[in-house]
Amino acid sequence: MAGRTLTLTDNVYDYLLKYGVREPPILARLREATQQIPDSNMQIGPDQGQFMGLLAKLIGARRCIEVGTFTGYSSLAVALALPADGRIVTCDINAQTTAIARQFWREAGVDARIDLRLQPALTTLQELVAQGGAGSFDFAFIDADKPAYLGYYEKLLELVRTGGLIAVDNTLWDGAVADKKINDASTVALRAFNEHVHGDERVDLSLVPIGDGLTLLRKRG
Ligand code: CA
């Protein structure tokens, strides 16, 4: 098994969470609140939230963009890792789930760092480009409708600075991307996305097997 990622049994994952994650109580409470609503499995795990916060710190991120807010776990995890003047623009179209997000951002005292745009994400990304935002963002996270991933990626590649990072969620899609018999729209789109970025010389890449697969793309100069 050397050189290959360990299979995470429940027992090993519990150990990882116990000794590898320091989840702030506010994030734990948000996770519990999200369990009560439909699609709660769309929320990222605490290990991934912490990892993304660490990445934001490592690259000294101040300006971030997120496509797919849901109940705000990832934006809160990253917002807590930003300096006081750090900002996140986060895009979603669901007023109900993002109302939960807003409540927890407020409770955590970071709501001033998070700018929620309730309209199709591509519209927001195009607006940011039109407003001169190209090359001005440090960190981006895509976790939304899979068939639109490539479109989000191309806009975000404009918006992120050289050396900036785009993190893309669900790129292993519960293993479906590697199963030729599965060909629903989301699986096909994720497969096409993975093949596209693998051949894209504009970025350095790593597909990290955390959560449901998190692809990290660093914009080259
Ligand atoms: Ca996801």
Side-chain angles (χ1 to χ4, degrees), residues 122-183:
L122 210 50
T123 306
T124 298
L125 301 183
Q126 281 160 350
E127 284 173 3
L128 291 169
V129 170
Q131 290 157 7
S136 71
F137 288 85
D138 306 297
F139 182 71
F141 180 47
I142 306 177
D143 187 10
D145 45 328
K146 311 312 173 199
Y149 265 29
L150 269 175
Y152 299 144
Y153 168 68
E154 286 299 330
K155 279 290 156 215
L156 288 169
L157 204 51
E158 281 185 65
L159 289 164
V160 166
R161 64 167 165 87
T162 297
L165 190 64
I166 303 174
V168 186
D169 200 36
N170 300 108
T171 49
L172 289 177
W173 206 227
D174 204 22
V177 286
D179 185 344
K180 290 192 176 102
K181 295 188 296 296
I182 304 178
N183 287 295

Side-chain angles (χ1 to χ4, degrees), residues 196-204 220:
H196 177 80
V197 295
H198 182 252
D200 191 341
E201 294 292 329
R202 298 171 296 174
V203 290
D204 300 307
R220 289 176 170 166

Side-chain angles (χ1 to χ4, degrees), residues 13-14 16-18 21-50 70-74 76-77 100-101 103-105 107:
Y13 188 58
D14 287 347
L16 182 158
L17 293 178
K18 185 170 179 188
V21 180
R22 300 174 183 149
E23 187 182 38
I26 183 83
L27 282 173
R29 283 200 291 114
L30 172 52
R31 215 150 38 76
E32 282 155 26
T34 304
Q35 294 305 315
Q36 314 306 317
I37 68 164
D39 298 324
S40 61
N41 64 344
M42 280 171 48
Q43 179 172 245
I44 63 167
D47 48 339
Q48 186 178 336
Q50 178 182 272
F70 192 44
T71 58
Y73 189 95
S74 46
L76 182 50
I100 298 171
Q103 177 197 330
F104 279 86
W105 297 338
E107 278 185 44

